Amino acid sequence: MLHDARPAPRTGRVSLGMQILLLQIAVLAVSLGVGFGWHISTVDDSLRDEYAQRALAVSRAVADDPDVRILLSQLQGTRLDAAALRSGTLQREAVAVAQRTGVLFVVIANRDGIRVAHPEPDRLGQHVSTDAGDVLSGDDVVDTDRGTLGESVRGKAAVRDADGRVIGFVSTGISTERVRAATWRDIRIVVGLAGVALAIGIVGSGLLARRWRRLTLGLQPDELVDLVGQQRAVLHALADGVLATDETGRLRMINDHGRRLLGVEAPLGTDVDDLGLPDRLRALLRNEQHSPVSATVGDRIVLATSRRIEADHRDLGMLLSVIDRTDVEELTRELGSVRTMSEALRAQRHETANRFHVLAGLLRQGDVDEASDYLAEIAGTRGRAGVAGLDNVQEPHLHAFLDAKATLARERRVQLTLGPQTWVDGDLVDPVAATTVIGNLIDNAVDAAAPALDAEDGRVDVELLGDGSTLWVTVADSGAGIAFDRPDDVFVDGMTSKDGTGIPGGRGMGLALARQLCRRDGGDLTVADSGGGSSDLGGAVFVAEMRHAVSEGVEQ
């Protein structure tokens, strides 16, 4: 697992998370202060108006009472009997209304402003203490005033007789002390709500700052800028391809070499399954693999490893590292061809030495005629390995290559023969690619046909046909056939029945690469028979179509 390599934190400054927290708290405090301050500044006026309207509603209700109108119309003038007023119906009605509604007072006065109902009986028959001109003119009055019962919020409504004339008024008052108490109660509620809102905002800001630290791995902005710049410079300078995905399997980073090696053109954020990667590489992005695994991408061979990235015990995704192995593989194939030729020469040298020993023995014994016949037999052999029909392969690379493969096959007790339709008279456009495909097919066929110690010799049939610029190759063997349930699995990277211990990336790349080389120019490599079918030899049959592989020869 890879762990984060973060730069050392810089001391002596407030972290970005703390700055965000303090800024958010300040913004919340100012916003709440302005909003609730405005509300508090208007709450007294709002409550005064609300209580005044309530008092006016009470006055209107009393003034609209028919009994009040009739009784008040009978109590006009300035000289009224106070004793009669104290025991009068209007006095009892006003007191009862005040008690029911909880107001400070309900006062009823006639057209001359003389009280006919008052909470204090001693003030009955006296002139009201406040100006009543507006209400006696027929207008409703809402105000705050101080009278005999103290300061109060008042609502005054005119009383009219049946003809609509003003015959007096009703004044209802609510103590300003009650208004102030309600105001302070409202302010305390508002301040409490503001405190709760501020506390919630602080908690939310703290959680946001914590999430910010978690997302940025505790790094400050300048540290993030430095780290991103350094990583970008390093990643794009690497000779290896590097690809990183997040924990959800989406592409988060890929350097230029990685795009070139893997053929990835998709933008960042693309799902791994949509990148067009081979199955083997997609599997590495699901499960980390520290040992190199080989895979074919297009016409290239790569070695890849993957590691899971973790930081602060949190899964950050997978990192895929890719190394180009194509050049090494090409050198390996070329060296393999040289080794094949060398081994063929060694086998032929050994065979030639044996022939000279026979010839020398015949001459020492004086059997000149037998020696002459033996020389004629040797000179008449077709091909250095005795491959019948090899003269039909006039392409020099294939001629020498098949002759060498036949020699090596014979050492493993496998007879390599050429099919009757074999004919190639042009030159190979890419000898390395062609010999890679044919060599892989022949080597696998020889391995399959090689007999046990007490078994009969094996056989491999090869047929090559040049059709214009296309080279057709058919290879059949006498082996046991393909062991996989699905024959096409032999073309999957890493699928092999051979031991790959000690080989970087493992075995199982030969046929996969051969198919890639065939498909590069529009051809293909297929399994014509997996074994036990129509093949005369009883083993597997492979057919390769290599387009643009041969330049057409010149007629002789």
Side-chain angles (χ1 to χ4, degrees):
M1 294 182 184
L2 292 180
H3 297 273
D4 59 329
R6 294 177 289 184
R10 302 175 185 177
T11 59
R13 60 177 178 173
V14 181
S15 66
L16 178 62
M18 183 57 68
Q19 292 179 35
I20 293 176
L21 176 60
L22 295 176
L23 178 60
Q24 288 180 327
I25 292 174
V27 170
L28 282 172
V30 171
S31 300
L32 290 172
V34 172
F36 285 104
W38 176 83
H39 178 75
I40 290 172
S41 66
T42 60
V43 69
D44 184 65
D45 294 338
S46 299
L47 285 175
R48 282 179 180 273
D49 183 65
E50 178 185 343
Y51 276 90
Q53 293 299 326
R54 187 182 303 176
L56 180 60
V58 174
S59 296
R60 285 175 175 171
V62 175
D64 291 339
D65 189 339
D67 293 336
V68 172
R69 292 177 178 176
I70 294 172
L71 292 173
L72 186 58
S73 64
Q74 300 171 359
L75 297 174
Q76 298 299 317
T78 58
R79 295 181 180 275
L80 300 175
D81 184 0
L85 293 176
R86 292 189 189 98
S87 59
T89 303
L90 287 180
Q91 174 67 7
R92 291 193 302 272
E93 182 70 20
V95 172
V97 171
Q99 290 175 348
R100 286 198 306 268
T101 59
V103 298
L104 179 61
F105 61 83
V106 175
V107 174
I108 302 175
N110 62 16
R111 185 171 53 242
D112 298 313
I114 302 301
R115 302 185 183 102
V116 297
H118 194 279
E120 295 179 354
D122 294 341
R123 300 196 183 268
L124 292 173
Q126 299 177 5
H127 198 282
V128 294
S129 59
T130 58
D131 181 27
D134 291 338
V135 68
L136 290 174
S137 299
D139 298 329
D140 292 337
V141 176
V142 174
D143 63 2
T144 300
D145 206 346
R146 180 177 292 277
T148 57
L149 297 176
E151 188 177 54
S152 60
V153 177
R154 305 181 180 197
K156 300 176 183 180
V159 181
R160 299 176 184 271
D161 61 10
D163 297 327
R165 293 174 299 180
V166 176
I167 57 175
F169 67 91
V170 180
S171 177
T172 302
I174 301 176
S175 174
T176 54
E177 291 295 331
R178 181 178 174 184
V179 176
R180 279 194 290 271
T183 300
W184 281 110
R185 183 173 63 253
D186 196 359
I187 289 174
R188 285 194 296 272
I189 293 174
V190 169
V191 171
L193 291 176
V196 171
L198 182 60
I200 293 174
I202 291 173
V203 172
S205 299
L207 293 176
L208 182 61
R210 181 180 178 184
R211 176 167 175 76
W212 174 269
R213 287 194 300 270
R214 184 169 178 268
L215 291 176
T216 61
L217 306 178
L219 297 175
Q220 300 305 310
D222 53 348
E223 294 172 342
L224 285 173
V225 172
D226 293 343
L227 184 61
V228 171
Q230 293 168 3
Q231 289 183 342
R232 183 175 298 171
V234 170
L235 287 172
H236 289 282
L238 286 175
D240 298 350
V242 179
L243 179 151
T245 62
D246 60 17
E247 67 278 8
T248 64
R250 294 192 172 276
L251 179 65
R252 290 305 175 199
M253 187 279 300
I254 183 171
N255 64 356
D256 295 338
H257 198 54
R259 287 190 180 276
R260 186 166 55 254
L261 279 179
L262 301 176
V264 174
E265 298 180 356
L268 299 181
T270 304
D271 191 88
V272 169
D273 294 334
D274 298 329
L275 296 180
L277 297 177
D279 293 340
R280 214 172 193 195
L281 294 184
R282 287 207 304 271
L284 294 183
L285 289 172
R286 297 187 185 96
N287 302 293
E288 63 179 346
Q289 174 61 258
H290 298 178
S291 301
V293 174
S294 57
T296 57
V297 183
D299 59 350
R300 309 190 74 82
I301 298 178
V302 297
L303 284 181
T305 59
S306 63
R307 294 179 182 270
R308 189 168 298 281
I309 308 171
E310 289 187 352
D312 295 336
H313 307 290
R314 185 161 60 97
D315 183 11
L316 299 181
M318 297 290 288
L319 180 70
L320 182 71
S321 179
V322 183
I323 302 174
D324 189 2
R325 191 184 169 189
T326 306
D327 294 340
V328 176
E329 283 293 321
E330 289 180 354
L331 288 174
T332 302
R333 291 196 299 269
E334 292 180 3
L335 289 175
S337 298
V338 173
R339 185 182 64 181
T340 299
M341 296 297 183
S342 298
E343 291 179 353
L345 289 174
R346 175 188 57 77
Q348 290 168 2
R349 180 180 60 81
H350 183 265
E351 183 177 358
T352 301
N354 290 336
R355 290 175 177 177
F356 274 115
H357 286 315
V358 173
L359 184 61
L362 291 174
L363 292 175
R364 279 197 299 267
Q365 295 176 7
D367 298 328
V368 177
D369 293 337
E370 287 79 357
S372 177
D373 294 339
Y374 186 66
L375 282 173
E377 180 183 351
I378 295 174
T381 301
R382 294 293 184 184
R384 287 172 289 175
V387 182
L390 189 58
D391 287 341
N392 291 339
V393 181
Q394 299 181 13
E395 206 288 325
H397 296 89
L398 287 181
H399 189 101
F401 188 74
L402 290 171
D403 188 48
K405 285 295 182 183
T407 301
L408 294 177
R410 189 171 59 185
E411 286 193 341
R412 297 187 61 185
R413 294 177 54 199
V414 174
Q415 181 184 4
L416 190 148
T417 61
L418 292 179
Q421 301 297 323
T422 296
W423 180 263
V424 181
D425 63 347
D427 294 327
L428 292 178
V429 175
D430 187 351
V432 173
T435 53
T436 296
V437 175
I438 298 171
N440 269 302
L441 295 177
I442 292 177
D443 289 344
N444 287 339
V446 170
D447 288 341
L453 293 177
D454 55 349
E456 296 182 357
D457 290 355
R459 180 179 166 187
V460 172
D461 284 349
V462 180
E463 190 166 79
L464 297 93
L465 177 62
D467 181 12
S469 63
T470 301
L471 177 63
W472 291 90
V473 182
T474 303
V475 178
D477 64 70
S478 60
I482 297 174
F484 301 122
D485 294 335
R486 296 182 302 177
D488 265 11
D489 283 349
V490 296
F491 300 115
V492 177
D493 294 345
M495 295 293 287
T496 180
S497 57
K498 303 174 185 177
D499 181 18
T501 305
I503 299 177
R507 286 185 177 272
M509 300 301 300
L511 289 176
L513 178 61
R515 171 176 268 191
Q516 293 282 7
L517 291 173
C518 290
R519 289 180 172 179
R520 180 180 62 183
D521 296 317
D524 204 355
L525 173 59
T526 58
V527 178
D529 191 341
S530 60
S534 59
S535 172
D536 295 337
L537 301 183
V541 179
F542 288 83
V543 177
E545 177 189 6
M546 303 183 68
R547 297 183 181 179
H548 311 297
V550 181
S551 60
E552 299 183 27
V554 180
E555 285 191 25
Q556 301 295 324

